[in-house]
C-alpha cells in the first residue's frame, strides 16, 4: 500500500519526467551546462549566482 507521502513524491517525479524526458536530446544552450554546474558547486555557488564573466568561460 502506498502512503500519501510516497504518492505525492511519485507524482512529482512523474510530472518532472513528463516535462523533461530523460531520454530525449536537449537543445544546445551554447554553454557547457555540466562544466558550469561543476564550477558553481566547487565555488560554493548555484549556477544562478555566477557572474556573466564566470558564465562566459563555458561558452561553446
Amino acid at each position: 500500500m502506498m502512503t500519501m507521502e510516497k504518492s505525492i513524491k511519485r507524482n512529482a517525479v512523474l510530472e518532472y519526467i513528463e516535462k523533461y524526458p530523460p531520454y530525449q536530446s536537449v537543445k544546445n544552450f551554447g554553454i557547457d551546462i555540466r562544466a558550469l554546474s561543476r564550477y558553481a558547486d566547487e565555488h560554493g555557488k548555484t549556477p544562478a549566482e555566477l557572474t556573466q564573466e564566470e558564465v562566459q568561460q563555458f561558452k561553446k
Side-chain angles (χ1 to χ4, degrees):
M1 180 184 240
M2 191 177 291
T3 66
M4 179 82 151
E5 184 178 327
K6 284 185 179 180
S7 177
I8 290 170
K9 287 181 182 178
R10 178 176 167 73
N11 288 341
V13 169
L14 292 175
E15 287 175 19
Y16 181 85
I17 289 174
E18 187 176 308
K19 188 173 181 182
Y20 304 104
Y23 300 109
Q24 286 185 349
S25 296
V26 294
K27 63 181 178 181
N28 184 354
F29 292 108
I31 61 173
D32 185 347
I33 298 285
R34 280 193 239 175
L36 183 138
S37 297
R38 189 171 33 249
Y39 174 88
D41 188 49
E42 289 170 356
H43 289 83
K45 299 180 178 182
T46 65
E49 295 171 332
L50 297 176
T51 65
Q52 286 292 335
E53 292 78 23
E54 290 173 307
V55 173
Q56 290 296 322
Q57 298 176 57
F58 302 98
K59 291 266 184 180
K60 289 185 178 179

